[in-house]
Amino acid sequence: MRIAENKKAFFDYFIEERYEAGLVLEGWEVKAIRAGRAQLKEGYVVLQKGAFFLIGSHISALPEASTHVTPDPVRSRKLLLHEEEIKKLVGKVEQRGYTLVPLNLHYKGGLIKLDIGLAKGKKQHDKRDADKARDEKREAQQAMKKVVK
């Protein structure tokens, strides 16, 4: 079940590969995510000290959050990946100019997981082509509805 999705990532990037990563979260963050208060829109993934971190994603604290905890909604969150995946991703990100973007948060076996995508940036003309193709598909769907009725 999807919790939060980053639709903008598919518009701005060509997603070539997907990886599923765990997240190191605090208790208040888990409660807030389960309440649907997470946003990935401006998030990105960076490599720091041999590990990947999710930066810029926003998790709003619940108003019932504990009084002794001061929640930081945009703190860096460590991603949990297998060693082989980390080595593969480090090589592609550093040498080939790929970017890692968060795609969606979802539940898997009671745990909260993050899908990250290995992506190449789209140029402006690529974005226009994607818009044009989406509009043509929508018009074809509407024409099919009219023919069926």
Side-chain angles (χ1 to χ4, degrees), residues 36-146:
R37 299 175 66 103
Q39 178 193 27
L40 297 174
K41 191 174 187 178
E42 296 181 16
Y44 56 96
V45 178
V46 295
L47 176 67
Q48 295 175 348
K49 301 176 190 169
F52 288 104
F53 288 86
L54 176 64
I55 296 177
S57 66
H58 195 285
I59 300 175
S60 303
L62 293 171
E64 306 89 36
S66 179
T67 56
H68 67 279
V69 175
T70 55
D72 180 13
V74 290
R75 76 174 186 90
S76 300
R77 295 165 182 93
K78 187 175 182 179
L79 298 180
L80 304 172
L81 292 160
H82 291 286
E83 191 67 34
E84 303 85 40
E85 291 175 330
I86 292 173
K87 288 178 184 175
K88 185 177 179 182
L89 289 173
V90 166
K92 289 189 176 184
V93 168
E94 289 183 348
Q95 296 172 359
R96 298 194 189 138
Y98 284 98
T99 304
L100 289 173
V101 293
L103 300 177
N104 71 42
L105 273 175
H106 62 277
Y107 298 117
K108 182 175 181 183
L111 301 174
I112 297 171
K113 300 287 186 171
L114 175 73
D115 278 347
I116 57 175
L118 190 63
K120 281 265 191 199
K122 284 186 181 179
K123 304 282 189 236
Q124 189 64 37
H125 62 86
D126 293 328
K127 293 178 187 179
R128 281 194 292 266
D129 291 344
D131 280 342
K132 187 176 179 182
R134 188 171 51 244
D135 290 342
E136 289 173 357
K137 185 177 177 182
R138 187 180 310 121
E139 289 173 6
Q141 292 270 338
Q142 290 173 351
M144 290 297 289
K145 283 184 180 179
K146 287 181 182 177

